[in-house]
Amino acid sequence: MFLTGFAALAVMPLLPVAARDLDGVGLYPLVAGAFVAASLLGGVLGGAWADLGGARRPLTAGLVLTVVTLLVSATSTTIWQLVLGRFTDGIAAGLVAVSVNAAIGQSYPDHLRARALSLMSACWIVPSLAGPPLAGFVAASWSWRVVFFGVAGFTLIPAAAAVLLLRQQPGQPGASQGPGSPEASVRRPALPATVAVSVAAALTQYGVSAFNAWHAVCASVGVVLLVAFAPKLLPPHTWRAGGGLPATVLLRALTSGAFFTLEAFVPLMLSTARHVPGVVTGFAFTGAALAWAGASWVQGRLQNRVPRHRLVAIGAAIMAAAVAVAALCTIPAVPPAAAVSSMAMAAVGMGLATPSLTLLSLAHTPADRQGYASGAMQTSQSLGQTLVLAVTSALFTAVSAASTSRLPAFAGAYALLILPIAGAACLAGRTRVADAGHHDASGSSVATAEEQLR
C-alpha cells in the first residue's frame, strides 16, 4: 500500500508533462480517465479471484502487473501507449486494493480490522510528503520517464517477495475448491459486463471534457452502457439503498465521488481563478493526505465505542462543511487559504467514513464472499468518482461558457456536491449492523448477508 500511494502521488503530477512530450495533450482526459476506468475491471476480477482462492494470488498478480505496466508507460513513444500503460496500471491497482481489503477480512479478527485499515491509510503519509517534490525534481533533472522506471524498480522488490512468499498453502483460504466447498458457489460477475462498465467509464470521462458533437456522442454512449451494465456488478437494491451491504456500497460511491471531485476542483480554482502559487496547491494535497491518515487513526481507536454507521454520518457532515468552506472561497474577499483548509476538512470526513464503510461491508458479508464485497466496494468507488465528476464537470463547463468569470462556475460545482454528501448523511443509518444476533451462534446475520448477495 505504501508503494501504491507513492506511485500514485509521484506519477499523477507528471502525466500532463508526459502527454505534452508525446504530442497528446488533446487526449489527456483519456490518459487520466483510463486509470479509474480500468480499476473497475481490476476490482471486480480481484474480488472474485480472492473468493475463489484467497487474497494471495490476486495480490501477487497485481504487484507483478504494476511493475510491467510502469515499464510500458516509461517506454511510451506515443500517447496511445501511455493510455495503454495507465489502463493496465488501473487494473493492477484494482487487484491490489481489493486484495488488501479481502486479506484483512479473511485474516484479521474483527477487533483488529479497524487498526489494520488505519495502518493502510498511514501508508500514504510519507508518499504525500515526499512523492510529488521528489518526482518533480527527478523529472526536471532528467526526464519523466526516469520517475516511471524508478517506481517500477521499487515495486519490483515486493513483487518478487509476493511471488516467492505468498504461495497458497494447504488449509489456507481458498485451498479447497471442490464442488461442495463454499467458494464453489461464489457469485462471479460476468466478464463482458465488467469490460463494458470499464469502457463506459472511460467514454464518459472523455465525453465531458469538451462541448461538441463527438464528445456528446461519447458521453451518451458511456452513460447508456453504465445504466445497462453497472447494476450487474453491484449487490441487488444498491441504487435503492437496501439495508446492509447495498446501502454500504452506495455510500462508498456517494462519499468517494464527492471527495475526489472536490479534490479536482479546489486546485483548479486556486490556480486559475484565485491565482495562488503552485506550492500552495501542493500544501493542499499534503494537508489532505495527513488529515485523512489522522482521522483514520482516530476511527481505529473508536472500536466498540461509536457505532460504525454513526462515524459515516459524522464524516459526511464534516465533508458538507468542507464543501461550504470551498464555496465561500468563490467570494474574492475570502482568503484563498480557506480553500486549502477545505480539502483537509473533507479528508477528515473521508478518514472517518471510508474505513468505517469497509468494515461495515465485511460485517454484512459471509466469510466466503468478502472478496466479492470488496470488489463491489471498489467498483462503487470508481463509479461514484466517474459519475459525480462527469456531472459536475458538465455543469462547470456550461456555466463557464455563459459567464465571463469562472468563480460562478466553481460555486455551482460546489453546490452540486452537497447533494451526494447529504444523501450519504441521510442514508448512513441503513448501513448499520444489528446489535442483536450479529455475533451469536444462530448465524442469522450471515443468512441476511447471503440473501443480500443473492
Side-chain angles (χ1 to χ4, degrees), residues 5-393:
F6 194 86
L9 293 171
V11 167
M12 284 299 293
L14 299 180
L15 290 181
V17 179
R20 184 177 66 247
D21 188 43
L22 296 172
D23 296 324
V25 175
L27 289 176
Y28 175 73
L30 187 58
V31 173
F35 181 90
V36 176
S39 66
L40 285 164
L41 179 59
V44 173
L45 294 177
W49 198 353
D51 281 337
L52 289 171
R56 299 167 181 265
R57 292 177 180 175
L59 178 59
T60 301
L63 287 170
V64 173
L65 184 59
T66 297
V67 176
V68 174
T69 192
L70 286 168
L71 295 177
V72 170
S73 297
T75 58
S76 294
T77 57
T78 67
I79 190 65
W80 290 107
Q81 183 177 343
L82 183 61
V83 170
L84 175 63
R86 295 303 296 162
F87 188 85
T88 52
D89 196 20
I91 295 176
L95 287 171
V96 171
V98 169
S99 299
V100 167
N101 287 338
I104 291 174
Q106 294 170 353
S107 305
Y108 284 81
D110 182 67
H111 69 279
L112 290 180
R113 289 176 182 172
R115 294 191 178 186
L117 289 172
S118 67
L119 186 60
M120 295 301 103
S121 296
C123 288
W124 288 74
I125 295 178
V126 173
S128 69
L129 296 173
L134 182 59
F137 173 77
V138 172
S141 302
W142 291 283
S143 169
W144 58 269
R145 299 179 188 274
V146 177
V147 177
F148 280 90
F149 278 121
V151 176
F154 283 120
T155 310
L156 182 61
I157 299 173
V163 172
L164 296 174
L165 302 178
L166 296 185
R167 296 174 179 175
Q168 189 65 54
Q169 299 293 331
Q172 295 296 323
S176 174
Q177 298 180 28
S181 66
E183 290 81 0
S185 62
V186 170
R187 170 184 174 179
R188 287 177 286 179
L191 182 60
T194 306
V195 174
V197 170
S198 296
V199 173
L203 285 174
T204 303
Q205 289 183 325
Y206 174 71
V208 299
S209 62
F211 270 174
N212 55 50
W214 170 245
H215 284 78
V217 169
C218 290
S220 300
V221 172
V223 170
V224 170
L225 290 174
L226 285 175
V227 172
F229 291 101
K232 300 179 183 297
L233 307 182
L234 302 174
H237 313 304
T238 294
W239 303 120
R240 296 187 303 181
L245 182 62
T248 305
V249 171
L250 177 61
L251 262 64
R252 172 61 67 86
L254 295 176
T255 54
S256 297
F259 175 78
F260 288 106
T261 300
L262 181 71
E263 194 178 49
F265 275 87
V266 167
L268 183 64
M269 179 184 69
L270 289 173
S271 61
T272 62
R274 300 306 303 267
H275 306 292
V276 301
V279 66
V280 176
T281 305
F283 282 134
F285 281 99
T286 299
L290 294 174
W292 187 319
S296 182
W297 181 86
V298 170
Q299 67 79 32
R301 268 54 185 177
L302 294 177
Q303 182 80 0
N304 299 325
R305 298 180 184 177
V306 181
R308 288 286 158 192
H309 68 279
R310 291 185 181 174
L311 285 178
V312 174
I314 293 171
I318 295 174
M319 292 176 65
V323 171
V325 171
L328 286 175
C329 291
T330 60
I331 302 174
V334 177
V340 176
S341 67
S342 72
M343 285 184 58
M345 287 179 60
V348 170
M350 286 294 286
L352 294 175
T354 299
S356 298
L357 288 171
T358 299
L359 291 168
L360 286 167
S361 72
L362 297 175
H364 287 304
T365 310
D368 64 313
R369 298 198 180 187
Q370 289 180 345
Y372 166 77
S374 297
M377 294 287 279
Q378 180 70 22
T379 299
S380 178
Q381 174 177 311
S382 299
L383 285 174
Q385 293 178 34
T386 299
L387 294 176
V388 175
L389 180 59
V391 173
T392 307
S393 298

Side-chain angles (χ1 to χ4, degrees), residues 437-450:
H438 179 62
H439 295 291
D440 62 15
S442 66
S444 58
S445 62
V446 173
T448 301
E450 289 274 8

